[in-house]
Amino acid sequence: MSTYLFVKLSALYFVYFALLGVMAPYLSLYLEHEGFSLLEIGQLVSLLMVTKIVAPLLWGSLADRYNKNLFLVRAGALMTLMCYLGFFWAHTFWSLAVVIVLYSFFWNAVLPQIEVLTLYNLAEQKNRYSRIRLWGSIGFIFSVAFCGWLFDKLDLTVFPWILLFLITAILVVSLLGFSEVQLTKTQTKFGKKFKLQLLRPWILLFFGVNFLLQISHGAYYTYFSIYLSSLDYTKIQIGMLWALGVLGEVVMFVVMHRWLKRSSIENIMLLSLLFTIIRWVITAIYAETLFVIALVQCLHAFSFGAMHVASIQFVHQNFEQQNQGRAQALYSSVGFGAGGAIGAYLSGYIVSTHSYSNAFLASALICLIGFGLVLLMKYRSKN
């Protein structure tokens, strides 16, 4: 793989996750600033996750059917920009809900196809995936830290304009010269059907684990910023805590290729889930202590970083090339989509009826169930 291709792929991840670095920490704060209730905020954020259920699957099916991964990345980026423009005129709950559904549909459709393109272009150097993916984390860190400073100096009214800039940047970078995925005649003719590969027991358990993992992240992605704000953290502190978590993720991406060589994917998942359970329990109990919450944020290296790289590799190893579009899309849809949507809605209910702490304790319990599924998955894959 050439250095130029490495830079282009890294840039695509950088701008894509820079957008997420604004959305994840600050969308809930922006909605609170606009006067929406805690339950309404949970419902609106859950819509971002709901579109992850349908959009990646549709885009993945189209990509595998017509072998047009790159075209669909560019089309998705363009449609994201066009639909997002409605954000500037949406001020009521329902108008904002419509805009969020439309633009997030196309935004969420893009990422699995970027993953397929990256793994295809890496060819025999797939262990370098984490080195490229870490630039997405760097983009996240940059945007979350910069916006924390900016929103403290100005206010949250500039939030929509920052999103507009970054969505435009995603479209521009996607137009750079990437190579489209090409299947050989042998791959096309002799590939196994997608359902046959999907319905193996350990594969279904794998998707169940990621479903539960993302449910457990619902309280974090929806209410972590508001939780900290209620404890009198400043926006700069909130932004830096988010950035610290992703910094841990970056470190994990740098060393992940070595870990994958020395350990099984199942063992990586087990250790990562154990640290995730610890993370949610400590967040629930000691969030008012800056040093403790800063330390526990570093566990994001496991709860997202290690789990994501292991999962991407798992999907790539267990599905043939002609099914990669749908397989990566299903990973996104089941976990980040269905799991994320249920997690956001469930945490919204718990926060509005109980407390932020209870929402994170529930996250720990859900993660514990996922830990048990990995043990079963490890057993079934060997029998």
Side-chain angles (χ1 to χ4, degrees), residues 278-300:
I278 294 170
R279 180 189 184 187
W280 298 148
V281 171
I282 295 177
T283 299
I285 299 173
Y286 297 107
E288 72 279 0
T289 306
L290 177 60
F291 173 76
V292 173
I293 202 67
L295 191 64
V296 80
Q297 275 295 92
C298 296
L299 294 180
H300 194 70

Side-chain angles (χ1 to χ4, degrees), residues 194-211 266 269 311 313-319 327 330-331 334 373 376-378 380-381:
F194 178 66
K195 287 184 179 180
L196 291 178
Q197 293 181 308
L198 174 62
L199 294 178
R200 290 169 291 180
W202 64 93
I203 303 295
L204 295 175
L205 287 168
F206 164 80
F207 284 112
V209 171
N210 277 282
F211 174 70
E266 290 88 352
M269 293 175 71
S311 295
Q313 293 292 336
F314 181 91
V315 171
H316 189 77
Q317 291 173 11
N318 284 276
F319 290 88
L330 189 63
Y331 162 64
V334 171
L373 288 187
L376 185 58
M377 170 184 157
K378 186 175 181 179
R380 292 305 299 268
S381 66

Side-chain angles (χ1 to χ4, degrees), residues 180-193:
E180 183 65 272
V181 174
Q182 298 294 330
L183 298 180
T184 65
K185 291 182 179 179
T186 303
Q187 286 175 320
T188 304
K189 185 175 181 180
F190 297 107
K192 294 181 181 179
K193 290 183 178 180

Side-chain angles (χ1 to χ4, degrees), residues 47-59:
L47 292 176
L48 289 170
M49 313 302 179
V50 168
T51 57
K52 283 186 181 180
I53 302 172
V54 179
L57 289 175
L58 176 59
W59 242 231

Side-chain angles (χ1 to χ4, degrees), residues 339-353:
I342 292 173
Y345 190 85
L346 179 63
S347 62
Y349 172 78
I350 296 174
V351 164
S352 61
T353 57

Side-chain angles (χ1 to χ4, degrees), residues 2 13 54 68 73 90 114 120 124 130 179 189 205 220 225 233 269 299 309 312 324 339 346 359 369 374 379 381:
S2 69
Y13 278 99
V54 179
K68 294 292 184 181
V73 168
I114 295 176
Y120 174 79
E124 300 303 318
S130 60
S179 298
K189 185 175 181 180
L205 287 168
Y220 178 67
S225 294
Y233 286 85
M269 293 175 71
L299 294 180
V309 174
I312 289 290
Q324 284 292 309
L346 179 63
I369 299 172
V374 178
Y379 169 79
S381 66

